[in-house]
Amino acid sequence: NTPDSSAGENIIISGNNSNSSLININTATQSELTNLPGIGASTALKIIEYRNKNGKFKKIDDLKNVNGIGSSKFNSIKDLITI
């Protein structure tokens, strides 16, 4: 029973780690946003300003409404973000 318990715990732990590694674009700080590929300090600030002005992102695709985030940049980070 103990090996089964360990295996179950490992699965749960890895599941939690993969979820927590996603960056929530509605709550992330500038520093957290700059961890995304292609997102520098100024783009991170634009994301935060957009969020402050327009409210929370309703879907991750809304990130493309931020000045400086086009389709190719969005496609490179879409699997790393959540709302």
Side-chain angles (χ1 to χ4, degrees), residues 3-51:
D4 291 339
S5 298
S6 290
E9 285 171 25
N10 288 341
I11 291 166
I12 291 167
I13 290 168
S14 80
N16 286 343
N17 286 345
S18 67
N19 289 340
S20 66
S21 67
L22 291 177
I23 293 183
N24 185 320
I25 57 175
N26 283 325
T27 59
T29 63
Q30 182 179 6
S31 173
E32 290 168 332
L33 290 166
T34 59
N35 289 324
L36 293 167
I39 304 295
S42 64
T43 304
L45 206 50
K46 288 178 190 172
I47 293 169
I48 292 168
E49 287 172 357
Y50 181 92
R51 185 173 75 199

Side-chain angles (χ1 to χ4, degrees), residues 40-72:
S42 64
T43 304
L45 206 50
K46 288 178 190 172
I47 293 169
I48 292 168
E49 287 172 357
Y50 181 92
R51 185 173 75 199
N52 289 340
K53 190 182 295 182
N54 300 289
K56 293 189 176 216
F57 294 97
K58 304 223 180 326
K59 55 187 189 294
I60 63 168
D61 284 25
D62 290 342
L63 195 59
K64 290 188 274 188
N65 296 330
V66 175
N67 188 18
I69 300 185
S71 292
S72 86

